[in-house]
Structures are given as structure tokens and as C-alpha cells.
Amino acid sequence: MSPVSARLKGRYRQVERLLADVVAWARDRGDVEAVALVGSYARGRAGMASDVDLTVLTPAFAELAADGEWFERLRPGSRLIRSAAWGPLLERRYRLRSGLQVEVGLVSSSWAQLPLDPGTRRVLGDGHRVLHDPRGLLARAGEALTAG
């Protein structure tokens, strides 16, 4: 395995700061029920071109999706570059000043409800890291994945 470049180490530090800020934001909001990191960063296989994939479970997902500035307040200088809907999930993709892209999937808490639907099972089963989960929604989903 090749050594990690200083540039990639800096990117990892940038991502960890972002994740800490997202967790602090989620804790300050009473309506964010869970946040998960998914994708290559959750699997520990991110490279310089990798984006950060977050899933935010909240009953206010539509309001957050309509508020185009909440993430920009969290990360000043970021810019919304794409909005899409994938079934029940509302995707918002942002580009940070550094060039790092962050995909935020906003979805109802029912996304993690048992039994897991195939889409949720695929996303979480491909690798996830629970960042904020005061009610244990993602913990239960993870247990369901390992149970088969």
C-alpha cells in the first residue's frame, strides 16, 4: 500500500473538521434525529477526488432541502451545485472553496425503519459511520444489517 500524501492527509483533516461541525449542528437542532457518513470516506477508501456523502434523518427534511443556505452557513463559501430526488431522499450537493464536494442526503427518519428497504440496506451495507444517533435509529439499522 502506498503512503498517503501530505495533500490527502490535509483533505482527511478537512473532512474530519466538517464532520465535527455537522455533528455540532445536528446536536443544536432538536429535529435532526440521525446523521451518517456513507460512501468512500465511511469505508476508509477515499482519495483526493472523493466526495463526502452524508445522510441526515429528520422530519424537517423538506424544509432543509428548501432552505438553500443552511449548509452555506455551516460552510461559508460553499455553493449548491446540484439538487436531485432519489426516491424519498432529497440530495443537495455542495462544492466547498477547497473544491471538496459534499453530498447531503436529506430524508425522513422512516428511511432507517425496520425492516430496511432495499435502498437503505444497500447504502448502509456499502459502509457507513454513525455520526449522530441519539435515538438509536442507525444503531438498530446497523444491527439489522449484521443479523442478515
Side-chain angles (χ1 to χ4, degrees):
M1 185 170 184
S2 63
V4 176
S5 71
R7 191 167 166 236
L8 187 54
K9 284 180 185 177
R11 177 58 55 95
Y12 287 155
R13 285 191 300 273
Q14 177 188 18
V15 170
E16 287 303 319
R17 283 190 305 272
L18 168 69
L19 298 180
D21 290 346
V22 167
V23 169
W25 166 83
R27 286 183 180 146
D28 286 345
R29 291 185 61 106
D31 59 357
V32 174
E33 296 176 339
V35 179
L37 175 68
V38 298
S40 60
Y41 276 99
R43 290 189 303 274
R45 294 192 174 165
M48 281 303 294
S50 298
D51 65 348
V52 176
D53 300 291
L54 297 169
T55 303
V56 177
L57 286 71
T58 174
F61 70 98
E63 291 84 1
L64 283 174
D67 176 5
E69 297 178 2
W70 73 270
F71 188 84
E72 287 116 354
R73 289 189 296 273
L74 187 65
R75 273 292 172 274
S78 61
R79 188 170 57 91
L80 179 65
I81 59 172
R82 183 173 76 194
S83 296
W86 304 98
L89 186 135
L90 303 175
E91 173 199 310
R92 298 299 179 260
R93 179 175 287 272
Y94 298 89
R95 183 184 323 272
L96 278 57
R97 284 184 191 157
S98 67
L100 177 66
Q101 291 189 27
V102 180
E103 180 180 305
V104 180
L106 302 163
V107 69
S108 166
S109 302
S110 64
W111 183 81
Q113 188 174 13
L114 301 179
L116 297 175
D117 73 40
T120 302
R121 183 173 286 280
R122 182 186 51 76
V123 170
L124 295 177
D126 195 31
H128 69 282
R129 179 172 137 199
V130 176
L131 301 176
H132 174 73
D133 191 24
R135 293 181 40 212
L137 298 171
L138 292 172
R140 285 189 293 278
E143 290 168 4
L145 284 173
T146 58

